[in-house]
PDB file of all heavy atoms in Angstrom:
ATOM      1  N   MET Z 245     -59.587 -72.044  14.331  1.00  0.00           N
ATOM      2  CA  MET Z 245     -59.668 -70.685  13.804  1.00  0.00           C
ATOM      3  C   MET Z 245     -59.570 -70.812  12.244  1.00  0.00           C
ATOM      4  O   MET Z 245     -60.235 -70.274  11.509  1.00  0.00           O
ATOM      5  CB  MET Z 245     -58.705 -69.784  14.278  1.00  0.00           C
ATOM      6  CG  MET Z 245     -59.063 -69.107  15.579  1.00  0.00           C
ATOM      7  SD  MET Z 245     -57.818 -67.943  16.127  1.00  0.00           S
ATOM      8  CE  MET Z 245     -58.200 -66.591  15.064  1.00  0.00           C
ATOM      9  N   PHE Z 246     -58.611 -71.645  11.868  1.00  0.00           N
ATOM     10  CA  PHE Z 246     -58.257 -71.809  10.327  1.00  0.00           C
ATOM     11  C   PHE Z 246     -59.465 -72.453   9.634  1.00  0.00           C
ATOM     12  O   PHE Z 246     -60.068 -71.956   8.680  1.00  0.00           O
ATOM     13  CB  PHE Z 246     -57.039 -72.610  10.123  1.00  0.00           C
ATOM     14  CG  PHE Z 246     -56.718 -72.801   8.735  1.00  0.00           C
ATOM     15  CD1 PHE Z 246     -56.245 -71.807   7.868  1.00  0.00           C
ATOM     16  CD2 PHE Z 246     -56.953 -74.111   8.033  1.00  0.00           C
ATOM     17  CE1 PHE Z 246     -55.860 -71.972   6.554  1.00  0.00           C
ATOM     18  CE2 PHE Z 246     -56.606 -74.251   6.722  1.00  0.00           C
ATOM     19  CZ  PHE Z 246     -56.139 -73.239   5.987  1.00  0.00           C
ATOM     20  N   ASP Z 247     -60.059 -73.463  10.384  1.00  0.00           N
ATOM     21  CA  ASP Z 247     -61.312 -74.100   9.799  1.00  0.00           C
ATOM     22  C   ASP Z 247     -62.445 -73.125   9.638  1.00  0.00           C
ATOM     23  O   ASP Z 247     -63.066 -73.007   8.626  1.00  0.00           O
ATOM     24  CB  ASP Z 247     -61.730 -75.192  10.581  1.00  0.00           C
ATOM     25  CG  ASP Z 247     -60.952 -76.468  10.389  1.00  0.00           C
ATOM     26  OD1 ASP Z 247     -60.261 -76.561   9.527  1.00  0.00           O
ATOM     27  OD2 ASP Z 247     -61.127 -77.441  11.214  1.00  0.00           O
ATOM     28  N   ARG Z 248     -62.575 -72.376  10.672  1.00  0.00           N
ATOM     29  CA  ARG Z 248     -63.640 -71.348  10.791  1.00  0.00           C
ATOM     30  C   ARG Z 248     -63.523 -70.400   9.575  1.00  0.00           C
ATOM     31  O   ARG Z 248     -64.426 -69.928   8.890  1.00  0.00           O
ATOM     32  CB  ARG Z 248     -63.622 -70.687  12.033  1.00  0.00           C
ATOM     33  CG  ARG Z 248     -64.747 -69.722  12.411  1.00  0.00           C
ATOM     34  CD  ARG Z 248     -66.051 -70.437  12.642  1.00  0.00           C
ATOM     35  NE  ARG Z 248     -65.999 -71.218  13.906  1.00  0.00           N
ATOM     36  CZ  ARG Z 248     -66.475 -70.819  15.097  1.00  0.00           C
ATOM     37  NH1 ARG Z 248     -66.935 -69.633  15.241  1.00  0.00           N
ATOM     38  NH2 ARG Z 248     -66.513 -71.660  16.114  1.00  0.00           N
ATOM     39  N   MET Z 249     -62.253 -69.927   9.437  1.00  0.00           N
ATOM     40  CA  MET Z 249     -61.903 -68.904   8.354  1.00  0.00           C
ATOM     41  C   MET Z 249     -62.210 -69.422   7.022  1.00  0.00           C
ATOM     42  O   MET Z 249     -62.717 -68.783   6.118  1.00  0.00           O
ATOM     43  CB  MET Z 249     -60.455 -68.573   8.506  1.00  0.00           C
ATOM     44  CG  MET Z 249     -60.228 -67.035   8.744  1.00  0.00           C
ATOM     45  SD  MET Z 249     -58.397 -66.886   8.689  1.00  0.00           S
ATOM     46  CE  MET Z 249     -58.167 -66.397  10.309  1.00  0.00           C
ATOM     47  N   ALA Z 250     -61.714 -70.805   6.792  1.00  0.00           N
ATOM     48  CA  ALA Z 250     -61.876 -71.310   5.427  1.00  0.00           C
ATOM     49  C   ALA Z 250     -63.314 -71.681   5.215  1.00  0.00           C
ATOM     50  O   ALA Z 250     -63.853 -71.553   4.014  1.00  0.00           O
ATOM     51  CB  ALA Z 250     -61.000 -72.564   5.388  1.00  0.00           C
ATOM     52  N   LYS Z 251     -64.092 -72.212   6.216  1.00  0.00           N
ATOM     53  CA  LYS Z 251     -65.386 -72.737   5.803  1.00  0.00           C
ATOM     54  C   LYS Z 251     -66.507 -71.720   6.086  1.00  0.00           C
ATOM     55  O   LYS Z 251     -67.375 -71.491   5.194  1.00  0.00           O
ATOM     56  CB  LYS Z 251     -65.689 -73.973   6.718  1.00  0.00           C
ATOM     57  CG  LYS Z 251     -64.910 -75.233   6.152  1.00  0.00           C
ATOM     58  CD  LYS Z 251     -65.054 -76.392   7.093  1.00  0.00           C
ATOM     59  CE  LYS Z 251     -63.932 -77.422   6.724  1.00  0.00           C
ATOM     60  NZ  LYS Z 251     -63.523 -78.291   7.892  1.00  0.00           N
ATOM     61  N   VAL Z 252     -66.486 -71.084   7.231  1.00  0.00           N
ATOM     62  CA  VAL Z 252     -67.659 -70.179   7.535  1.00  0.00           C
ATOM     63  C   VAL Z 252     -67.401 -68.722   7.121  1.00  0.00           C
ATOM     64  O   VAL Z 252     -68.277 -68.041   6.840  1.00  0.00           O
ATOM     65  CB  VAL Z 252     -67.887 -70.167   9.026  1.00  0.00           C
ATOM     66  CG1 VAL Z 252     -69.162 -69.409   9.487  1.00  0.00           C
ATOM     67  CG2 VAL Z 252     -67.866 -71.622   9.603  1.00  0.00           C
ATOM     68  N   GLY Z 253     -66.147 -68.391   6.788  1.00  0.00           N
ATOM     69  CA  GLY Z 253     -65.759 -66.977   6.482  1.00  0.00           C
ATOM     70  C   GLY Z 253     -65.657 -66.248   7.767  1.00  0.00           C
ATOM     71  O   GLY Z 253     -66.027 -66.732   8.879  1.00  0.00           O
ATOM     72  N   SER Z 254     -65.090 -65.151   7.674  1.00  0.00           N
ATOM     73  CA  SER Z 254     -64.652 -64.500   8.934  1.00  0.00           C
ATOM     74  C   SER Z 254     -65.753 -63.669   9.565  1.00  0.00           C
ATOM     75  O   SER Z 254     -66.435 -62.900   8.806  1.00  0.00           O
ATOM     76  CB  SER Z 254     -63.425 -63.560   8.606  1.00  0.00           C
ATOM     77  OG  SER Z 254     -63.646 -62.849   7.533  1.00  0.00           O
ATOM     78  N   THR Z 255     -66.019 -63.831  10.785  1.00  0.00           N
ATOM     79  CA  THR Z 255     -66.896 -62.945  11.532  1.00  0.00           C
ATOM     80  C   THR Z 255     -66.098 -62.291  12.595  1.00  0.00           C
ATOM     81  O   THR Z 255     -65.008 -62.837  12.939  1.00  0.00           O
ATOM     82  CB  THR Z 255     -68.034 -63.711  12.125  1.00  0.00           C
ATOM     83  OG1 THR Z 255     -67.492 -64.585  13.222  1.00  0.00           O
ATOM     84  CG2 THR Z 255     -68.897 -64.517  11.101  1.00  0.00           C
ATOM     85  N   PRO Z 256     -66.535 -61.178  13.275  1.00  0.00           N
ATOM     86  CA  PRO Z 256     -65.732 -60.482  14.236  1.00  0.00           C
ATOM     87  C   PRO Z 256     -65.386 -61.374  15.467  1.00  0.00           C
ATOM     88  O   PRO Z 256     -64.479 -60.984  16.198  1.00  0.00           O
ATOM     89  CB  PRO Z 256     -66.592 -59.322  14.553  1.00  0.00           C
ATOM     90  CG  PRO Z 256     -67.409 -59.062  13.311  1.00  0.00           C
ATOM     91  CD  PRO Z 256     -67.764 -60.465  12.852  1.00  0.00           C
ATOM     92  N   VAL Z 257     -65.998 -62.523  15.615  1.00  0.00           N
ATOM     93  CA  VAL Z 257     -65.626 -63.259  16.835  1.00  0.00           C
ATOM     94  C   VAL Z 257     -64.181 -63.706  16.657  1.00  0.00           C
ATOM     95  O   VAL Z 257     -63.450 -63.906  17.590  1.00  0.00           O
ATOM     96  CB  VAL Z 257     -66.527 -64.556  16.931  1.00  0.00           C
ATOM     97  CG1 VAL Z 257     -66.337 -65.533  15.932  1.00  0.00           C
ATOM     98  CG2 VAL Z 257     -66.342 -65.103  18.366  1.00  0.00           C
ATOM     99  N   LEU Z 258     -63.736 -63.996  15.395  1.00  0.00           N
ATOM    100  CA  LEU Z 258     -62.336 -64.190  15.189  1.00  0.00           C
ATOM    101  C   LEU Z 258     -61.445 -63.131  15.628  1.00  0.00           C
ATOM    102  O   LEU Z 258     -60.258 -63.228  16.011  1.00  0.00           O
ATOM    103  CB  LEU Z 258     -62.066 -64.661  13.635  1.00  0.00           C
ATOM    104  CG  LEU Z 258     -62.699 -66.010  13.217  1.00  0.00           C
ATOM    105  CD1 LEU Z 258     -62.480 -66.234  11.828  1.00  0.00           C
ATOM    106  CD2 LEU Z 258     -62.309 -67.174  14.102  1.00  0.00           C
ATOM    107  N   ASN Z 259     -61.936 -61.864  15.399  1.00  0.00           N
ATOM    108  CA  ASN Z 259     -61.122 -60.720  15.744  1.00  0.00           C
ATOM    109  C   ASN Z 259     -61.106 -60.645  17.229  1.00  0.00           C
ATOM    110  O   ASN Z 259     -60.080 -60.238  17.815  1.00  0.00           O
ATOM    111  CB  ASN Z 259     -61.855 -59.410  15.288  1.00  0.00           C
ATOM    112  CG  ASN Z 259     -61.862 -59.367  13.819  1.00  0.00           C
ATOM    113  OD1 ASN Z 259     -62.753 -59.829  13.148  1.00  0.00           O
ATOM    114  ND2 ASN Z 259     -60.894 -58.722  13.148  1.00  0.00           N
ATOM    115  N   ALA Z 260     -62.219 -61.050  17.903  1.00  0.00           N
ATOM    116  CA  ALA Z 260     -62.166 -61.147  19.341  1.00  0.00           C
ATOM    117  C   ALA Z 260     -60.983 -62.029  19.912  1.00  0.00           C
ATOM    118  O   ALA Z 260     -60.269 -61.749  20.746  1.00  0.00           O
ATOM    119  CB  ALA Z 260     -63.474 -61.411  19.927  1.00  0.00           C
ATOM    120  N   VAL Z 261     -60.988 -63.214  19.253  1.00  0.00           N
ATOM    121  CA  VAL Z 261     -59.978 -64.192  19.659  1.00  0.00           C
ATOM    122  C   VAL Z 261     -58.579 -63.586  19.344  1.00  0.00           C
ATOM    123  O   VAL Z 261     -57.716 -63.764  20.114  1.00  0.00           O
ATOM    124  CB  VAL Z 261     -60.141 -65.495  18.852  1.00  0.00           C
ATOM    125  CG1 VAL Z 261     -59.094 -66.560  19.232  1.00  0.00           C
ATOM    126  CG2 VAL Z 261     -61.535 -66.149  19.126  1.00  0.00           C
ATOM    127  N   SER Z 262     -58.471 -62.993  18.094  1.00  0.00           N
ATOM    128  CA  SER Z 262     -57.192 -62.387  17.795  1.00  0.00           C
ATOM    129  C   SER Z 262     -56.731 -61.400  18.862  1.00  0.00           C
ATOM    130  O   SER Z 262     -55.614 -61.378  19.291  1.00  0.00           O
ATOM    131  CB  SER Z 262     -57.244 -61.626  16.412  1.00  0.00           C
ATOM    132  OG  SER Z 262     -57.598 -62.580  15.472  1.00  0.00           O
ATOM    133  N   PHE Z 263     -57.679 -60.523  19.337  1.00  0.00           N
ATOM    134  CA  PHE Z 263     -57.344 -59.471  20.196  1.00  0.00           C
ATOM    135  C   PHE Z 263     -56.849 -60.124  21.446  1.00  0.00           C
ATOM    136  O   PHE Z 263     -55.807 -59.795  22.083  1.00  0.00           O
ATOM    137  CB  PHE Z 263     -58.566 -58.624  20.436  1.00  0.00           C
ATOM    138  CG  PHE Z 263     -58.397 -57.588  21.426  1.00  0.00           C
ATOM    139  CD1 PHE Z 263     -57.789 -56.367  21.083  1.00  0.00           C
ATOM    140  CD2 PHE Z 263     -58.844 -57.796  22.815  1.00  0.00           C
ATOM    141  CE1 PHE Z 263     -57.464 -55.398  22.085  1.00  0.00           C
ATOM    142  CE2 PHE Z 263     -58.593 -56.754  23.759  1.00  0.00           C
ATOM    143  CZ  PHE Z 263     -57.971 -55.568  23.413  1.00  0.00           C
TER     144      PHE Z 263
END
Side-chain angles (χ1 to χ4, degrees):
Chain Z
M245 278 181 78
F246 180 73
D247 277 353
R248 188 75 64 98
M249 239 183 245
K251 283 174 196 151
V252 190
S254 47
T255 67
V257 73
L258 294 181
N259 295 87
V261 180
S262 304
F263 179 80

